[in-house]
Amino acid sequence: MDIQNNRQLIDSIDEQILELLIQRKNISQKIIKEKIQNNLSVNNFEREEEIINRLDKIAKGNLSRETIELLFKRIFDESKTGFLRKCENTDEVIKAINTTEPLLIAGPCAVESKEQIADIAQELSTMGIKFLRGGGYKPRTSPHTFQGLGAKGVRLLKEAAFNNDMFAVTEIMSIPQLEYLYDYIDVIQIGSRMMTAFSFLEEVGRVTAIDKKPVILKRGLSSTVTEFLHAADYIMKNGNTNVILCLRGIRSFEQIESELRFTPDLGDILEIKDKSNLPIIFDPSHTAGKRDYVIPLSKAALSLGANGLIIEVHNNPDEALVDGIQMIKPIELDKLKK
Ligand code: PEP
Ligand code: MN
């Protein structure tokens, strides 16, 4: 086999691919500009899905669907780079955060299905709760467990929130995820495991600088208060000061034998309130890891001055795919008032 000849062929194909990619990007950006002029959303995930489905059929297995998806999602993102626009409702979200005391955020650990999130959203909204949480991307300890529904989960969350006049709160773990789903997220959640990824925090600050979309930053599992506050600075320094700090328990020797999933870092509410003007909320669910402790810990956090709570609830906690053991039913949130 003539390797040299084949290499020349490959080089020529690569150049053609590159030329076509540039052509594609230019056409796609014309469409995006047109959409922006007409005040339409830059993202059209249904169309993207259609494209991938069509190409998958044409490829007839010569390229795996996974590869097609990976390549084309990157191509779609490339066209959109630099064209993200402000979410229309961000001012409304900020206003709701600033005027809701305590700020109550509730919803399942993970979005599991359209019906599940729609039912929970409806129940919460009739109780007057305005912020719906639910994970699409779940940072699970083991890669072999349910990882969330991904982008589909985030879209279902937003749909359920929108239909019930609520705001969608969800975790993203990468900038492409954030850019891809920007219009579907009202409040961005940065999880404990991501708190120490400083370049990620900087990027979140940069990407959200345009509309100052609120960001909940959860405390790292083993981070000190100082490290936590500096992590918030990484976001703020890059253009977005709408950061909400969230305490969620820390890792300590207690986890060797305690029933608590993490040690409740309640006292730090006091210290953070002394050191920072940012709103601070408490997550009793991940701290407790046990249903019965959720309400008492919530009450303790509020009495120490926390501005709000993020609580995991599920309509059928025993059947939940993730964190069922620490989830309560929506109706139990009523106990917060007693
Ligand atoms: C969550 O709130 O969904 C979550 C995974 O929490 P944490 O990042 O605090 O573990
Ligand atoms: Mn959870």
Side-chain angles (χ1 to χ4, degrees):
M1 197 176 60
D2 185 351
I3 292 184
Q4 207 46 42
N5 271 350
N6 281 332
R7 281 197 174 145
Q8 272 173 6
L9 272 178
I10 283 182
D11 285 349
S12 146
I13 291 173
D14 285 349
E15 282 166 28
Q16 290 173 52
I17 292 176
L18 193 70
E19 182 54 40
L20 287 171
L21 283 175
I22 295 168
Q23 271 184 39
R24 190 193 189 286
K25 180 175 167 177
N26 289 339
I27 297 172
S28 175
Q29 292 198 333
K30 270 191 201 156
I31 299 179
I32 291 176
K33 280 182 194 154
E34 188 82 19
K35 280 184 179 174
I36 292 173
Q37 267 168 12
N38 291 300
N39 224 14
L40 296 168
S41 173
V42 168
N43 288 317
N44 183 345
F45 299 118
E46 270 160 38
R47 160 97 178 126
E48 292 178 3
E49 190 104 357
E50 265 170 37
I51 295 176
I52 290 169
N53 286 340
R54 195 172 65 84
L55 296 175
D56 182 33
K57 267 200 199 129
I58 295 171
K60 293 199 179 95
N62 289 309
L63 274 182
S64 71
R65 185 183 167 93
E66 205 186 349
T67 305
I68 294 173
E69 227 175 301
L70 205 80
L71 286 171
F72 275 82
K73 282 195 174 156
R74 188 66 203 99
I75 291 171
F76 301 148
D77 283 348
E78 174 66 27
S79 304
K80 287 184 259 183
T81 307
F83 279 101
L84 279 172
R85 64 193 181 117
K86 286 178 160 194
C87 257
E88 300 96 38
N89 71 341
T90 299
D91 291 343
E92 207 188 315
V93 182
I94 295 168
K95 191 165 161 228
I97 288 174
N98 292 338
T99 53
T100 316
E101 187 80 41
L103 177 64
L104 288 185
I105 304 168
C109 181
V111 176
E112 297 169 12
S113 68
K114 189 178 168 97
E115 295 70 34
Q116 174 241 22
I117 194 66
D119 285 356
I120 296 173
Q122 207 210 353
E123 199 170 341
L124 290 172
S125 99
T126 51
M127 296 172 74
I129 290 171
K130 296 295 281 178
F131 293 85
L132 180 69
R133 66 151 286 152
Y137 299 98
K138 293 306 307 171
R140 305 300 306 282
T141 304
S142 159
H144 308 298
T145 52
F146 175 61
Q147 302 289 302
L149 299 178
K152 183 176 168 207
V154 177
R155 280 181 224 142
L156 291 175
L157 177 81
K158 175 68 181 176
E159 190 182 307
F162 184 81
N163 290 341
N164 290 283
D165 204 14
M166 297 173 87
F167 299 115
V169 182
T170 202
E171 173 165 2
I172 43 95
M173 289 185 280
S174 75
I175 297 302
Q177 283 168 8
L178 175 62
E179 294 196 331
Y180 186 53
L181 293 163
Y182 206 74
D183 288 342
Y184 292 84
I185 303 172
D186 298 311
V187 181
I188 299 160
Q189 181 179 321
I190 298 184
S192 300
R193 288 151 197 85
M194 297 301 288
M195 188 216 87
T196 51
F198 300 141
S199 2
F200 172 69
L201 302 179
E202 286 180 324
E203 280 297 311
V204 171
R206 262 179 229 130
V207 172
T208 55
I210 183 168
D211 64 356
K212 314 276 190 283
K213 195 188 282 276
V215 178
I216 293 175
L217 177 67
K218 299 190 88 174
R219 180 182 187 173
L221 310 183
S222 308
S223 300
T224 65
V225 165
T226 308
E227 286 163 350
F228 185 29
L229 295 177
H230 281 321
D233 289 340
Y234 270 107
I235 302 169
M236 294 198 286
K237 197 167 166 260
N238 284 282
N240 185 3
T241 51
N242 278 324
V243 177
I244 298 164
L245 300 170
C246 177
L247 293 172
R248 42 81 72 220
I250 46 171
R251 169 107 344 127
S252 81
F253 62 89
E254 279 192 315
Q255 277 72 62
I256 299 167
E257 55 188 17
S258 163
E259 288 218 45
L260 287 157
R261 189 169 169 189
F262 290 92
T263 300
D265 42 357
L266 286 163
D268 294 334
I269 294 171
L270 303 172
E271 185 175 339
I272 291 173
K273 283 184 84 72
D274 272 348
K275 292 185 170 167
S276 164
N277 290 322
L278 294 174
I280 172 135
I281 63 173
F282 189 75
D283 171 348
S285 311
H286 290 91
T287 309
K290 186 172 162 149
R291 220 168 277 163
D292 293 350
Y293 297 169
V294 169
I295 297 294
L297 283 170
S298 298
K299 288 184 178 171
L302 292 178
S303 73
L304 285 166
N307 302 101
L309 300 162
I310 178 164
I311 304 181
E312 287 191 339
V313 302
H314 197 284
N315 46 2
N316 192 355
D318 290 329
E319 299 291 318
L321 297 179
V322 193
D323 282 352
I325 192 166
Q326 68 198 29
M327 281 197 272
I328 57 175
K329 290 195 170 172
I331 191 70
E332 289 180 64
L333 293 175
D334 268 348
K335 293 186 193 149
L336 284 175
K337 296 181 199 136
K338 290 170 201 150

